[in-house]
Every structure is written in structure tokens, then in C-alpha cells.
């Protein structure tokens, strides 16, 4: 977040009239508009607070040159849209930007201590100051939210009057005005005092307002408020329990991101002109019918040869899971990953394609046999890749990994043919584990025991955060998944030390299933660190062998040992074992699973059972 420029009347190109009369409040990077400050999130600009508007009322800013279209057919089909849009640019040359609405509306004045809605202070136009005191107003530090994704104002009036007869009066009808002050004695909630001038209730502190049932005890439940959609959006019937949150808490907004790599035959960009037509083309099975439709749709010659169109349709049908009549979202997403895994294994030689190819994956030239003692096989050098990350929805009060579909809040009230997304280009290293050695290791009793503890804790967390526990999908924690996940983390940490990459510039992409055992570590960030060009070189067998050995030896000891290695539970709700920020945890942007489902003991073993580790054989070398 960059500080806003001095407020001034904005003009259009060459001094023309402004495109709109909305003041500019600040600036965010395009990537932040998907990952940090997406629709429904709260954003602080100087001493003001806003909620990012939904897509329904932001069509002007999310269109044209301000928000160009991008295409990734496999991901678009999975998410049920036709294309994606980059967030609006917010530099000095842009004509528009992200639309925001003031939230929370409750503000306080540090001078007169009044606590009321922003407009009731009679601030001058375009400013957030008390009309009487001429000092900056302070947005409410507290908001309320429910697990369905609704967001509302903290009920200060009910909190102050909780000791009186709540049935006799309602908010604002007691004849008094709310006041908020700080005693200054401590920085705790006990020092934040709220009162009402009606004299019917004593001054109370905010202590206890964060208790899980604090608002339920006042008889308050969620009213379905959605301030990011504006006052015209009707409130939804909800009734779920409300929780008090700090306005800047990460629990207020978490993105639900889905991503896909551009792989052949979709990675050369030739299919983009057909983006609006795929829904119709998919209905035709016969070549002649496809040809007739394309001639009518393009009123002449189609920009994509008919043979390529048929190949694209065949490739799309291959990704349909065939194990269910009506595959779920999870099954379809897994099928998407399966195709990526197959392509990473088989490669895509640069010499066979044009410069427009967005996916180049080649076999290293060195002797891969040096990796056999490690149980590692099939390294591939991903010299070019493109990843599209789309903001599907958002959640509140829950980890996105553990949120079931009813908890996901859509970005618009009515369905749209697109979603916000960002595209990033980079490079990476892909490697697999030897299936025979992995299969024998997975059957070990000690391995199964540790994984059972992780899976049980994770499954319990999923059920606790779901409306209907019977509909919760099983935990993805399996021996190979936790092993690959932890291996990816130690490799990222090693390359951040040896290859000059900050850990936040590297990401993992796991391929862990009964028929998959691979991991892709890649640079895919809009930051300049993604263009250093040295990650692919780390995939050459001799260098990769040295890197893995160094990473494993580094993982044998943690500065928090023996506590870290011997702990029975670790991480959120006990979903980790031997893992902490001093050893294997990464920046959240680098991890697919929010730093849960980790255990470095599966890599190196323990003092009591060294053979537990998959790489235990190299500990003494």
C-alpha cells in the first residue's frame, strides 16, 4: 500500500474533464487487488478505512483498457466463467481504479469523544474530520462478521446498554449520545471505554467483546449485511452467530484463490480468439458441425485452423473426470492438476515451438543417476511457465483451506462471465520421488502413526468450521502429501540461501495422489525477483543433488529443538508436528496450504527412530 498523493481534482488525458468525480484515496498494486485487497476486504488509507466494492457496481473500472482481459481456458472452465480480468491499474495515467466504500461508518472524535456515524460529524466535503473540532476522525477499531461472509458494524449501543432492559428501548431511542475514550492506563481492551449520555447505563469497557458468545449473550445474530455491495443490496437472511474482530485482522477477509498453469495445447495463445465461443463449441461432436458454426460466428475465416480447434476440444474433454456422472469441483480441480503433472513429466521442448509458447519444459542434460540414492527421479527444467491465479470468492473467520462451499461469499450479487485474476510468468524446477521406494516407505507403521495424528487434527478442524460436518471433504493429509509438502519447503529455504532468491519469490505446487508424487518449485511473482534467471540452473542433476543433501542436513536440526522435533502437536489446531518458523515454515504466499500439514521428521527421522525419514539413508553421508 502506497501513501495517497495530495488530494486534488483529477483530470483526464491532456487536461480534459475527469472521467468521474470520485476522489482518489490511495494506490495498490494489481496483484494486491486479488490476493490482499480484493472484493469485500477492508483497506486502510491514512486515517480512513474503506471496503472494496463488489463487481456489480464497478463495471466502469473493471472494463476496457483499465482492466484488460486475460484467458486461461482450463481454469475458466473449472470456475464457470468465459474469461478473466486484470484488476484496474491505479497509477497516474489511469482514468479510474478500484471502487471503495467507507466502512465502518461508526467513527469517533479524539477531541470531543463522540462516537457516531461518519456523516453525523458534518465533515467538510472530501475530508474525514470532525465538523466541530477540526481533528481527524478515527474509524471504529471493531467490526463484526459471521462465518457466512457477512460484515457489519459493532453494536456499541447494545454493548453499553446490556445491563438495562433491552426490550424497552432500541438503539438511538434512549435520547443519549455515545462516547468513546481511552483511559490511557494500558493498551488493553479494558482501557477502551464506551458510555452513553442518557445516564441509564454505566460506562463500560470493551473487555470481553471478543468472547465467542459475547454478542450471542446480547441476543444479537447476523442480519446479513454486505456493505461492499452498497446500501441498495438487500440484506440476506442469515441468523448465524456474530464474532467481534479487529478491523485490521486477517480473519476479516481471506481470498479463495484457484490457479492453473498454461500447458499445451492451450499455452500458445492461439485459443484466445475463441474464448467467447467455447460453451457453444463444446456442444458439437462432429467436425462438420464445428466448421459450420465457426464460419457463421466469424463471418468468414476463423483465426484458428479447424484442426487446432478440434484438438483443443479433444484436450478439453480429456480433462473431464470419468469416475462420476456429475463430478464435484474437487474432482474437476484434481483432473486439472493431473494434466499438469502429465505435461511436466513429458516435457515440451522449446525447439519445437515458436517464441509465443508459454510453457517450455525440458530434460536436464546431466546424468540423472546421481539422484537415485536420494530416491529422487525425473527432474525437469521448466524454462518458461505462465500461471493464472483467479479470485473465486472470499471467506471470513475461517482458513480458506478448511472452508466448505456454503461459506464462500461470491464477488458479485449476480453471476458475471468473468472473475478477477492475475497472470504471472516465471521458471521452475520439477522433480518426482521414486514410486517403489516411496511405496515401501508409506507402509511403515511409524509413518502411518504420525500421519494419522496430523490427519485427525486436520479433519477435526474441518468439521468444526463447517455448517454440515457430514459434507466435509476428507483431509488431504497422506504420507506422500506431507512428505512432498515438507520437501518443497526445505528446498525453497535452501534456494533462498544458495541461489539468491527471497523465499517469498518462490512458490510450491504439489502433485500428491495415488498416481502422482511430484513437486514444482517455481518463481511466479510480479516482483523483479522472478526474473533473476537462476532457478532453472538449480535443476541440473549434480547441483540438485547437492541442494537436496544440504537441505536435508539443514532440516536435521532446528534452533527450537528438542522442543520442535519432540512436540506432540504444532501449528493451527495441531495440524503440524515437527515444524516451526525456525525450520520449515515459509511466507504464506509461498505455501499452498497456509503452513499446515508439515512434519520434517518424515524427511530426516527422529533420534528415537532415524529410519522414519524418507531421506534417512543420506544422514550419515
Amino acid at each position: 500500500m502506497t501513501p495517497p498523493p495530495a488530494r486534488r481534482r483529477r483530470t483526464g488525458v491532456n487536461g480534459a474533464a475527469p472521467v468521474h468525480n470520485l476522489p482518489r484515496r490511495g494506490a495498490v498494486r494489481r496483484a494486491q487487488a486479488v490476493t490482499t485487497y480484493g472484493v469485500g476486504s477492508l483497506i486502510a488509507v491514512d486515517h480512513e478505512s474503506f471496503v472494496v466494492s463488489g463487481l456489480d457496481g464497478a463495471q466502469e473500472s473493471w472494463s476496457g483498457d483499465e482492466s484488460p482481459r486475460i484467458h486461461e481456458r482450463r481454469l475458466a472452465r473449472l470456475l464457470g466463467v468465459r474469461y478473466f480480468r486484470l484488476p484496474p491499474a491505479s497509477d497516474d495515467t489511469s482514468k479510474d481504479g478500484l471502487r471503495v466504500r467507507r466502512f465502518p461508518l461508526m467513527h469517533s472524535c479524539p477531541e470531543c469523544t463522540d462516537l457516531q456515524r461518519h456523516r453525523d460529524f458534518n465533515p467538510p466535503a472530501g475530508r474525514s474530520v470532525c465538523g466541530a473540532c477540526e481533528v481527524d476522525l478515527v474509524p471504529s477499531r471493531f467490526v463484526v462478521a459471521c462465518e457466512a461472509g457477512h460484515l457489519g458494524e459493532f453494536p456499541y449501543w447494545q454493548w453499553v446498554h446490556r445491563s438495562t432492559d433491552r426490550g424497552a428501548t432500541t438503539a438511538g431511542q434512549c435520547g443519549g449520545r455515545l462516547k468513546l475514550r481511552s483511559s490511557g492506563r494500558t493498551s488493553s481492551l479494558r482501557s477502551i471505554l464506551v458510555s452513553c449520555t442518557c445516564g441509564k447505563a454505566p460506562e463500560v469497557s470493551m473487555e470481553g467483546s471478543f468472547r465467542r458468545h459475547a454478542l450471542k449473550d446480547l441476543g444479537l445474530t447476523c442480519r446479513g449485511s454486505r456493505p461492499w455491495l452498497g446500501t441498495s443490496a438487500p440484506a440476506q437472511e442469515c441468523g448465524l452467530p456474530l464474532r467481534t474482530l479487529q478491523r485490521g485482522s486477517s480473519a476479516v477477509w481471506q481470498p479463495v484463490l484457484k490457479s492453473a498453469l498454461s500447458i499445451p495445447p492451450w499455452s500458445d495463445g492461439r485459443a484466445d480468439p475463441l474464448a467467447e465461443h467455447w460453451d457453444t463449441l463444446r456442444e458439437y461432436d462432429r467436425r462438420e458441425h464445428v466448421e459450420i458454426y465457426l464460419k457463421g460466428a466469424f463471418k468468414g475465416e476463423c483465426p484458428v485452423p479447424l484442426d487446432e480447434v478440434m484438438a483443443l476440444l479433444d484436450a478439453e474433454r480429456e480433462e473431464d473426470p470419468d469416475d462420476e456422472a456429475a463430478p464435484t469441483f474437487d474432482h474437476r480441480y484434481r483432473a486439472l492438476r493431473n494434466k499438469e503433472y502429465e505435461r511436466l513429466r513429458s516435457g515440451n521442448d522449446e525447439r519445437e515451438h515458436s517464441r509465443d509458447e508459454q510453457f517450455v519444459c525440458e530434460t536436464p542434460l546431466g546424468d540423472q543417476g546421481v539422484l537415485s540414492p536420494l530416491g529422487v527421479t525425473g527432474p525437469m527444467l521448466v524454462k518458461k511457465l505462465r500461471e493464472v491465479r483467479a479470485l473465486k470468492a472470499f471467506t471470513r473467520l475461517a482458513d480458506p483451506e478448511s472452508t466448505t462451499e456454503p461459506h464462500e461469499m461470491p464477488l458479485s450479487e449476480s453471476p458475471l462471465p468473468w472473475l478477477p485474476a492475475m497472470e504471472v510468468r516465471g521458471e521452475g524446477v520439477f522433480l518426482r520421488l521414486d514410486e517403489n521406494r516411496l511405496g515401501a516407505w508409506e507402509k511403515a507403521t511409524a509413518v502411518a502413526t504420525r500421519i494419522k495424528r496430523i490427519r485427525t487434527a486436520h479433519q477435526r478442524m474441518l468439521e468444526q468450521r463447517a455448517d454440515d460436518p457430514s459434507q466435509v471433504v476428507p483431509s488431504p493429509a497422506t504420507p506422500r502429501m506431507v512428505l512432498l509438502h515438507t520437501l518443497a519447503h526445505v528446498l525453497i529455504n535452501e534456494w533462498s540461501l544458495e541461489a539468491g532468491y527471497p523465499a517469498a519469490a518462490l512458490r510450491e505446487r504439489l502433485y500428491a495422489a495415488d498416481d502422482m508424487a511430484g513437486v514444482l518449485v517455481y518463481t511466479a511473482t510480479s516482483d523483479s525477483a522472478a526474473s533473476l534467471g537462476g532457478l532453472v540452473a538449480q535443476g541440473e542433476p549434480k547441483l540438485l543433488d547437492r541442494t537436496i543433501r544440504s537441505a536435508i542436513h539443514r532440516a536435521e536440526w532446528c534452533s527450537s529443538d528438542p522442543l520442535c522435533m519432540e512436540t506432540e502437536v504444532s501449528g493451527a489446531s495441531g495440524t503440524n508436528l515437527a515444524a516451526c518458523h525456525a525450520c520449515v515454515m515459509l511466507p504464506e504466499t509461498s505455501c499452498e496450504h497456509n503452513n499446515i500439514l508439515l512434519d520434517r521428521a518424515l524427511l530426516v527421522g527422529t533420534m528415537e527412530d532415524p529410519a522414519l525419514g524418507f531421506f534417512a539413508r543420506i544422514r550419515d553421508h
Side-chain angles (χ1 to χ4, degrees):
M1 186 70 194
T2 59
R7 293 190 176 94
R8 61 187 185 277
R9 182 175 178 82
R10 299 197 66 212
T11 58
V13 179
N14 299 325
V19 176
H20 57 75
N21 60 359
L22 300 175
R24 181 177 179 179
R25 299 294 187 179
V28 297
R29 298 192 303 272
R30 268 183 161 159
Q32 289 179 306
V34 172
T35 59
T36 310
Y37 301 121
V39 170
S41 66
L42 296 184
I43 180 171
V45 182
D46 284 350
H47 58 276
E48 299 181 83
S49 176
F50 304 92
V51 61
V52 179
S53 298
L55 301 180
D56 297 273
Q59 293 299 312
E60 292 183 14
S61 57
W62 288 84
S63 62
D65 296 335
E66 295 292 307
S67 182
R69 295 184 181 186
I70 59 175
H71 299 282
E72 171 45 57
R73 181 57 201 155
R74 298 166 64 246
L75 186 60
R77 185 187 180 202
L78 174 73
L79 298 178
V81 296
R82 293 202 297 270
Y83 56 91
F84 302 100
R85 285 193 180 277
L86 291 174
S90 58
D91 54 25
D92 288 334
T93 63
S94 64
K95 302 176 183 178
D96 206 336
L98 288 176
R99 302 295 179 88
V100 296
R101 293 180 168 89
R102 190 178 299 280
F103 186 86
L105 297 180
M106 293 296 290
H107 284 62
S108 61
C109 173
E111 188 72 24
C112 63
T113 69
D114 278 353
L115 175 64
Q116 56 190 355
R117 286 181 172 268
H118 184 269
R119 65 171 180 266
D120 295 334
F121 283 99
N122 297 316
R127 300 183 63 194
S128 182
V129 299
C130 177
C133 305
E134 287 292 323
V135 298
D136 291 336
L137 295 174
V138 180
S140 169
R141 283 177 53 186
F142 310 105
V143 296
V144 296
C146 77
E147 290 187 355
H150 300 117
L151 184 69
E153 305 275 353
F154 182 82
Y156 287 102
W157 191 91
Q158 288 88 343
W159 185 253
V160 172
H161 293 82
R162 64 183 185 269
S163 60
T164 62
D165 184 2
R166 293 194 298 270
T169 57
T170 56
Q173 294 183 0
C174 63
R177 299 176 65 181
L178 292 175
K179 296 282 187 176
L180 184 146
R181 68 180 183 89
S182 174
S183 66
R185 296 178 180 177
T186 68
S187 58
S188 67
L189 294 175
R190 183 179 298 180
S191 295
I192 302 176
L193 305 173
V194 186
S195 62
C196 182
T197 59
C198 69
K200 298 179 181 178
E203 184 178 56
V204 298
S205 75
M206 291 297 295
E207 186 177 28
S209 59
F210 283 78
R211 289 189 300 108
R212 178 173 292 272
H213 300 295
L215 301 180
K216 181 180 179 181
D217 293 342
L218 298 180
L220 301 176
T221 56
C222 180
R223 300 173 64 182
S225 175
R226 297 176 292 172
W228 61 95
L229 298 181
T231 56
S232 60
Q236 295 179 329
E237 292 293 332
C238 185
L240 288 176
L242 287 169
R243 292 283 304 276
T244 303
L245 298 171
Q246 291 269 13
R247 174 164 48 89
S249 168
S250 61
V252 171
W253 186 86
Q254 302 98 12
V256 179
L257 297 172
K258 298 298 177 183
S259 66
L261 301 181
S262 295
I263 60 173
W266 306 93
S267 53
D268 60 1
R270 296 289 299 275
D272 292 352
L274 302 175
E276 302 289 338
H277 305 278
W278 285 115
D279 291 340
T280 304
L281 287 170
R282 197 183 305 116
E283 298 175 1
Y284 300 115
D285 293 328
R286 302 183 63 177
R287 181 186 179 95
E288 54 267 30
H289 293 164
V290 173
E291 184 177 14
I292 293 172
Y293 172 79
L294 292 176
K295 287 182 178 179
F298 289 94
K299 297 180 175 59
E301 185 177 354
C302 176
V304 182
L306 182 59
D307 289 340
E308 290 189 23
V309 175
M310 298 306 298
L312 291 170
L313 286 172
D314 291 340
E316 188 176 78
R317 295 186 182 106
E318 286 181 6
E319 293 198 10
D320 289 333
D322 54 7
D323 57 342
E324 290 188 13
T328 64
F329 180 87
D330 290 332
H331 279 81
R332 293 162 57 208
Y333 194 51
R334 193 176 304 125
L336 181 146
R337 288 291 182 102
N338 285 340
K339 284 298 178 183
E340 291 180 4
Y341 183 73
E342 291 175 8
R343 179 54 68 174
L344 286 166
R345 289 189 62 176
S346 59
N348 193 42
D349 200 308
E350 185 175 21
R351 292 168 295 183
E352 301 174 1
H353 301 277
S354 67
R355 292 184 178 181
D356 295 332
E357 177 62 47
Q358 299 166 338
F359 180 83
V360 176
C361 181
E362 299 179 351
T363 304
L365 299 177
D367 179 16
Q368 299 184 26
V370 299
L371 298 173
S372 297
L374 302 178
V376 174
T377 186
M380 299 293 287
L381 309 181
V382 187
K383 295 184 175 180
K384 288 175 63 177
L385 64 81
R386 172 181 179 261
E387 181 191 27
V388 174
R389 301 176 199 157
L391 178 61
K392 176 177 181 281
F394 64 88
T395 65
R396 306 195 196 276
L397 296 173
D399 188 335
E401 284 296 322
S402 63
T403 301
T404 53
E405 195 69 22
H407 286 171
E408 294 183 1
M409 180 62 71
L411 308 182
S412 58
E413 189 171 9
S414 55
L416 296 175
W418 56 274
L419 286 172
M422 57 182 289
E423 61 175 350
V424 287
R425 301 171 190 270
E427 59 182 6
V429 175
F430 173 75
L431 58 88
R432 295 180 289 122
L433 297 182
D434 180 81
E435 285 286 352
N436 293 330
R437 181 168 165 180
L438 181 62
W441 174 83
E442 288 177 312
K443 297 176 182 178
T445 303
V447 172
T449 301
R450 292 187 72 90
I451 293 300
K452 182 178 180 181
R453 287 159 56 188
I454 296 177
R455 184 169 54 248
T456 300
H458 190 220
Q459 194 69 37
R460 182 169 56 248
M461 184 180 73
L462 295 178
E463 294 173 355
Q464 289 173 348
R465 295 181 175 181
D467 285 333
D468 185 358
S470 64
Q471 300 298 317
V472 175
V473 297
S475 168
T478 62
R480 68 174 58 195
M481 182 270 164
V482 178
L483 173 65
L484 286 166
H485 190 200
T486 312
L487 175 61
H489 278 228
V490 299
L491 284 176
I492 289 175
N493 279 329
E494 189 68 21
W495 278 326
S496 70
L497 294 173
E498 298 293 335
Y501 289 91
L506 301 177
R507 286 176 60 86
E508 65 177 3
R509 196 166 182 86
L510 305 179
Y511 300 90
D514 292 340
D515 55 347
M516 296 191 297
V519 60
L520 171 67
V521 176
Y522 62 107
T523 65
T525 172
S526 55
D527 193 288
S528 60
S531 60
L532 292 177
L535 185 59
V536 165
Q538 305 298 317
E540 288 294 339
K542 286 187 177 181
L543 195 54
L544 183 59
D545 174 71
R546 189 180 70 185
T547 298
I548 294 176
R549 290 179 183 275
S550 177
I552 296 303
H553 285 305
R554 201 181 302 275
E556 292 176 5
W557 183 255
C558 169
S559 59
S560 297
D561 278 341
L563 180 63
C564 177
M565 181 62 77
E566 296 178 358
T567 183
E568 294 293 325
V569 292
S570 176
S573 302
T575 50
N576 288 334
L577 287 182
C580 71
H581 286 285
C583 52
V584 299
M585 286 190 176
L586 294 175
E588 291 184 359
T589 54
S590 300
C591 179
E592 282 197 310
H593 293 280
N594 298 291
N595 277 325
I596 64 173
L597 310 181
L598 294 165
D599 182 12
R600 64 186 172 92
L602 297 184
L603 296 177
V604 300
T606 63
M607 293 296 293
E608 294 77 15
D609 186 6
L612 172 69
F614 181 83
F615 297 97
R617 298 180 186 177
I618 68 172
R619 292 187 63 177
D620 299 327
H621 292 76

